[in-house]
């Protein structure tokens, strides 16, 4: 049994697969407490693997996105293999990178929380072995260290994303600040949470 916050069908709103129809499986619970987190971890229901698979198979999307919270608290290699066999879909994981990721995952997005005020470096140390993309939430932290993360190699895509806040004036400032940081260092690519602009989940 796994605690699921929600399962829903939408477009991937951010990062490399922006615009891809995807089934999102959001797990409840995380090992970090980020001040900008948008998930209510107390909410959720316990679901069996068969129930999760049935919910996923309601949709014809090619991708499953396991997110959270922190999905690696809830998944293992057997679960990933079972998902892929039962659905015929590709599996992506969005993780903070502090725990190993099952090797059968098809796409690993690491959103590291190292170097962010209020999050101890000891708890945010990267333990994921590999990242296909690194997606950093820009809260004004120094950025150079992200190019030396142990999960990164020469093929890893690097995305910088403005930090969402409900206050529109502050959010506009955040967006403009992130745009300037990307323009100043073109090793980054801008990631926007397009689902917020489209008003979709």
């Amino acid at each position: 049994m796994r605690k699921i916050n929600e399962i829903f069908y939408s477009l991937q709103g951010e990062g490399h697969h922006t615009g891809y129809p995807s089934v999102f499986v959001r797990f409840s619970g995380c090992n970090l407490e980020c001040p900008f987190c948008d998930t209510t971890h107390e909410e959720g229901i316990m679901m069996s693997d068969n129930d999760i698979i049935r919910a996923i198979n309601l949709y014809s999307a090619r991708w499953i996105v396991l997110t959270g919270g922190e999905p690696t608290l809830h998944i293992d290699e057997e679960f990933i293999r079972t998902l892929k066999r039962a659905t015929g879909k590709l599996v992506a994981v969005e993780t903070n990178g502090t725990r190993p990721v099952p090797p059968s995952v098809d796409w690993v997005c690491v959103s590291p929380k190292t170097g962010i005020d209020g999050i101890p470096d000891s708890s945010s140390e990267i333990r994921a072995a590999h990242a296909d993309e690194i997606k950093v939430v820009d809260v004004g932290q120094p950025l150079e260290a992200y190019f030396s993360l142990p999960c990164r190699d020469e093929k890893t895509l690097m995305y910088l994303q403005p930090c969402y806040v409900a206050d529109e004036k502050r959010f506009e400032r955040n967006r403009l600040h992130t745009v300037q940081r990307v323009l100043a260092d073109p090793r980054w690519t801008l990631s926007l949470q397009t689902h917020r602009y489209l008003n979709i989940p």
Side-chain angles (χ1 to χ4, degrees):
M1 302 294 286
R2 306 173 200 274
K3 189 175 182 182
I4 303 297
N5 183 280
E6 58 180 336
I7 297 176
F8 62 97
Y9 180 49
S10 189
L11 302 178
Q12 172 61 272
E14 55 195 62
H16 182 67
H17 290 133
T18 294
Y20 282 36
S22 304
V23 183
F24 292 83
V25 180
R26 185 183 300 280
F27 293 89
S28 291
C30 190
N31 57 336
L32 299 180
E33 295 183 8
C34 301
F36 46 81
C37 183
D38 59 1
T39 301
T40 305
H41 296 293
E42 295 76 19
E43 296 180 0
I45 61 172
M46 301 303 295
M47 296 180 68
S48 70
D49 291 355
N50 285 337
D51 288 339
I52 294 169
I53 289 165
R54 276 194 290 270
I56 291 170
N57 278 334
L58 293 174
Y59 309 105
S60 58
R62 185 171 176 238
W63 283 94
I64 303 166
V65 179
L66 306 181
T67 186
E70 177 47 49
T72 61
L73 294 169
H74 307 275
I75 65 175
D76 54 24
E77 178 67 4
E78 181 180 358
F79 177 68
I80 300 300
R81 290 182 180 274
T82 298
L83 274 188
K84 294 172 77 169
R85 279 196 308 268
T87 68
K89 301 181 190 300
L90 299 171
V91 176
V93 167
E94 297 180 341
T95 173
N96 58 34
T98 60
R99 295 169 49 84
V101 176
S104 289
V105 169
D106 298 291
W107 188 268
V108 179
C109 173
V110 172
S111 183
K113 305 304 186 291
T114 53
I116 294 178
D117 288 345
I119 303 175
D121 286 341
S122 58
S123 64
S124 59
E125 180 183 350
I126 299 299
R127 293 185 172 85
H130 164 75
D132 295 291
E133 67 177 298
I134 291 172
K135 185 175 61 187
V136 175
V137 176
D138 180 12
V139 291
Q141 73 273 40
L143 299 176
E144 187 61 34
Y146 294 118
F147 290 93
S148 301
L149 292 176
C151 59
R152 180 179 181 268
D153 61 31
E154 68 278 359
K155 295 180 181 178
T156 305
L157 304 170
M158 302 293 290
Y159 289 90
L160 192 62
Q161 183 166 291
C163 182
Y164 174 76
V165 292
D167 181 87
E168 181 53 39
K169 293 287 188 185
R170 280 186 59 205
F171 189 33
E172 182 180 10
R173 289 197 297 270
N174 288 356
R175 293 195 304 267
L176 292 174
H177 180 256
T178 302
V179 166
Q180 290 304 315
R181 298 188 93 177
V182 172
L183 288 171
D185 186 349
R187 292 177 297 174
W188 292 102
T189 297
L190 181 68
S191 172
L192 293 176
Q193 292 182 301
T194 57
H195 51 287
R196 295 191 184 277
Y197 299 94
L198 297 171
N199 197 27
I200 60 176

